[in-house]
Amino acid sequence: MVYLIQNMEDLNKKISETELRLIVIDFFVEWCGPCKHIESEFNNLRENYKDHVAFFKIDVDNDGCMEICKKFNIASMPTFVFVLDHKYMMNYRIEGANIEHIDNNIQ
């Protein structure tokens, strides 16, 4: 299952509620070509890891998510951020539509 995050409160709540150790957050925008290109491959990853990884999506164009984007210094899309054991891995992120890199880091 994927959660579409609406704001910082929602993100913090979903992180605290998940029982899975790893969370992958996909920062995207609807009009982004690379975001659209990687979407079906990312859906496959979600299906493959659904019992082990929680997947969140954050629409960068959503005004409610501006605080989150600032916190994570989101400047390009797609950007993928990892949360391990309910802690943000602030120095670890993947920018761009590189599904193999995302898959390797989940494993």
Side-chain angles (χ1 to χ4, degrees):
M1 172 174 266
V2 63
Y3 298 105
L4 183 61
I5 301 299
Q6 299 300 316
N7 53 45
M8 183 64 85
E9 181 181 341
D10 188 28
L11 176 62
N12 290 333
K13 181 180 177 195
K14 294 289 191 217
I15 288 173
S16 67
E17 288 176 349
T18 189
E19 296 178 9
L20 300 172
R21 289 191 65 214
L22 181 62
I23 300 167
V24 179
I25 304 172
D26 173 10
F27 288 86
F28 75 101
V29 287
E30 294 292 332
W31 49 263
C32 167
C35 297
K36 290 178 183 179
H37 174 75
I38 199 171
E39 187 171 5
S40 66
E41 295 170 325
F42 194 67
N43 288 338
N44 289 338
L45 278 186
R46 286 198 303 253
E47 185 60 32
N48 291 342
Y49 294 109
K50 66 183 175 188
D51 296 330
H52 307 287
V53 180
F55 293 91
F56 298 172
K57 289 182 72 81
I58 295 176
D59 185 346
V60 174
D61 280 343
N62 177 348
D63 289 340
C65 294
M66 287 173 48
E67 181 182 359
I68 301 168
C69 294
K70 286 179 186 177
K71 178 176 181 143
F72 288 101
N73 279 334
I74 302 301
S76 63
M77 279 67 69
T79 296
F80 300 89
V81 174
F82 293 77
V83 176
L84 182 62
D85 293 329
H86 300 112
K87 293 183 174 59
Y88 301 118
M89 299 174 69
M90 294 299 283
N91 295 325
Y92 193 76
R93 62 199 280 135
I94 297 171
E95 295 180 353
N98 187 335
I99 200 69
E100 290 176 10
H101 196 175
I102 298 164
D103 189 22
N104 289 339
N105 287 290
I106 289 174
Q107 294 177 18

